[in-house]
Amino acid sequence: MPNSPTPTHCPYCALQCGMNLTPAPDGTVEVGERADFPVNRGALCGKGRTAPAVLSSRVRLTSPLVRTGGTLVPATWDEALDRIAGGLARTRSEHGPDACGVFGGGGLTNEKAYTLGKFARIVLGTSQIDYNGRFCMSSAAAGGIKAFGLDRGLPFPLEDIPKSGCVILVGSNPAETMPPALRFFTELKENGGTLIVIDPRRTRTAEQADLHLMPRPGTDLALALGLLHLVVAQGRVDEEYVRERTVGWEDARAAAMAHWPEYVERITGVPVPQLRETVRLFCEPESAMVLTARGPEQQSKGTDTVSAWINLCLATGRAGRPYSGYGCLTGQGNGQGGREHGQKADQLPGYRKLDDPAARAHVAEVWGVDPDSLPGPGRSAYELLDALGTDIRSLLLMGSNPVVSAPHAAHIEERIKSLDFLAVCDVVLSETAALADVVLPVTQWAEETGTTTNLEGRVLLRRKAISPPDGIRSDLEVLHELADRLGVEKGFPTDPEEVFEELRRASAGGPADYSGITYRRLAEENGVFWPCPSEDTASEPGPTGNTAAQLRPTGNTTAEPGPTGDSAAQPHPTGNTTTQPRPTGDTAAHPGTPRLFLDRFAHPDGRARFVPVSHRAVAEEPDAEYPVLLTTGRVVAQYQSGAQTRRVDELNAAAPGPFVELHPRLAERLGAAEGDPVAVVSRRGRAVAPARITLGIRPDTVFMPFHWYGEGRANTLTNPALDPTSRMPEFKACAVRVEAVERQDAG
């Protein structure tokens, strides 16, 4: 009998596209469409289609490795685990618990992220834990919490985008970063809506826009303030909404009025007529959205920039209303869930704050420990990496490759090399793993069951489709074995569902409440949106004051499809429309919350907060020595640090290496032709890659993708200047100079 397909989800970006996996007779795994999942409706990008290639023993780790005589050599699991436990115990004994660091990843399942945070705080007793998601969504999270009292990437499902009247997409290129999502923007235009793209490059997404603004990198804050100035000047403020649902408008208004259009044009390079047209297109429809991504967020003022875009939504009444609002397009596969359950420096499970006594007491009770034994908040990701080899002497790293992905990467590589001890858990021998004292080969997405939370806040169930090769263990097994060796025999189960049951209890009552979610529900309902408390509140206000399963009426008389795409959604007697069916066989369960803030925001008084902000320059402005701005990003065929996608032949053929995108005027000044090697030099280092000459970039800007190691490593150049609130590094703007390179000297 042929193997039946297993419904599961892609291992890559935050869409978490649905797919079916079927083991083939030759030992490979076939990817099939899964049309029932509403996020992608069967569509997959090249990365998703080729994801099983990394399951091959040809490219993956198949045995633990330990460093002997300067070389990594195969070892038994007992030898490798004993060495890790010994290294961590020795550091803790000689230098104290905070000399042990833990670094996680936004691709870890909720169960792994939860267990990693618990391991750091209970077994090691260290405060020094953070994860690479700090480099992804932290500015948007900080801005959302300030304004709304709650951070969930999208406060509405992706299916709401085509129903909006206008979407402003700021610093996002979904055509390349998450291609199946592009259809939502295509459908927006087909429905008569308008797409405005803000990006210093004419990307594949920008080519689809009705209006494309090309600001100078690092000026998104000024741009948003200039638009709000025009909203006020043109009398487009929704005064009733501002009065009834917000606080702080007068101060935000005063800050915006200092950014008149001509001033903003000088800062951003965006012509005043385009600013005025943007305001008209955004304000005339009944509904509109602003969606940001890494462009405005990965700045040393990223939180303020997000606040400025949220202020624009609040002033025009475009938040907490149907088909309107501010949202963030998360990047990593579990970037949302990864920061909710304890692997972030300042957080406990359920998105609780680590310095909140009530939160500490709740989680400590679940864990069976004294609240006073839990360490306080630790360093943020870059600050943790920067302290390696000095304050932090040993590091346990899971699911991250900072040698490629961190800013000022050559410096971080040296810090990693200076450690007394480094242990890495990964599926491949990444550039960071190659520096380790011990490397453990762990199971992958198709070989294990676990949950992730996509960019909509939809908790999903990834299912095990195949067995891993002999000798491979899961991250949960690794943490169980290490805890046992370090003297904690209980509390670290290896079964993911058992871990999730504990996570439910730990998250109960927190902002990210998963207590009403079970594996059975996730399988039956195609995911459940958090918050989802356990008690039956389907007809009562939820944690954000919403009737959780309902959408407020907009004058439509027909029911909209629910998140599962079925037509079971019917109008309620009140005129509201249900957005998620009740779980089969479980009449007591809360249905989840697809749409937040429809009735009230998550602050105690139910009102959103305006945050007054003003433009300030990037941390490193161009000057005579470094006259050009560098910005970085992704390409469609590679993912993040490339540790996995660079091992897939089809993807490498499509995107074989780094490049420097530059305007013809700059290329002419350099005497560089298409494909010629050019050097990009910042105050932190030098990178060399072939020139890609295009009119689709500003003349004062160059672009490099960040997926590669070696001489073309873009993050050799980037600036680790940190946002004061989110601690996000300024990946998106640093001063550089560009130099022609003789081909024979290009390596």
Side-chain angles (χ1 to χ4, degrees), residues 458 521 525 527-529 549 562-564 569 578-582 591-594:
R458 189 194 304 251
R521 288 193 63 185
E525 299 174 40
V528 177
F529 291 84
T564 57
T578 185
T579 61
Q580 180 147 315
R582 301 279 298 191
T593 314

Side-chain angles (χ1 to χ4, degrees), residues 539 547 550-553 570-578:
S539 60
T547 302
Q550 298 177 358
L551 179 65
R552 295 173 79 74
Q570 298 294 330
H572 280 236
T574 60
N576 294 330
T577 304
T578 185

Side-chain angles (χ1 to χ4, degrees), residues 88 91-92 96-102 124 126 128 391-394:
L88 294 172
T91 295
R92 188 174 58 180
D98 273 359
C100 296
V102 178
L124 297 179
T126 182
Q128 301 304 304
D391 293 341
I392 300 173
R393 309 300 291 268
S394 292

Side-chain angles (χ1 to χ4, degrees), residues 469-654:
D470 291 340
I472 306 296
R473 299 187 186 182
S474 73
D475 295 282
L476 295 180
E477 291 175 302
V478 168
L479 293 172
H480 171 86
E481 291 290 341
L482 290 177
D484 184 61
R485 283 167 167 79
L486 291 166
V488 181
E489 298 178 0
K490 297 181 179 180
F492 290 87
T494 61
D495 175 58
E497 187 168 8
E498 185 177 349
V499 175
F500 190 78
E501 288 300 305
E502 182 178 303
L503 182 157
R504 292 175 61 205
R505 298 195 303 275
S507 74
D513 191 334
Y514 284 31
S515 59
I517 303 174
T518 64
Y519 271 30
R520 180 183 60 77
R521 288 193 63 185
L522 294 177
E524 292 176 353
E525 299 174 40
N526 243 340
V528 177
F529 291 84
W530 71 260
C532 183
S534 57
E535 67 272 14
D536 181 13
T537 55
S539 60
E540 298 176 4
T544 58
N546 300 322
T547 302
Q550 298 177 358
L551 179 65
R552 295 173 79 74
T554 59
N556 298 328
T557 56
T558 57
E560 300 287 355
T564 57
D566 59 36
S567 58
Q570 298 294 330
H572 280 236
T574 60
N576 294 330
T577 304
T578 185
T579 61
Q580 180 147 315
R582 301 279 298 191
T584 303
D586 189 351
T587 58
H590 187 287
T593 314
R595 295 173 178 86
L596 298 170
F597 313 137
L598 292 180
D599 297 301
R600 68 191 310 273
F601 295 96
H603 288 294
D605 62 2
R607 292 171 176 260
R609 270 53 172 161
F610 282 97
V611 179
V613 293
S614 296
H615 167 71
R616 63 181 186 272
V618 296
E620 191 176 74
E621 285 283 356
D623 55 21
E625 187 177 2
Y626 300 97
V628 177
L629 280 169
L630 168 71
T631 192
T632 64
R634 288 167 47 188
V635 297
V636 67
Q638 300 289 353
Y639 181 72
Q640 303 299 74
S641 75
Q644 296 184 43
T645 52
R646 285 186 276 117
R647 288 167 167 79
V648 179
D649 292 340
E650 180 180 330
L651 300 179
N652 277 334

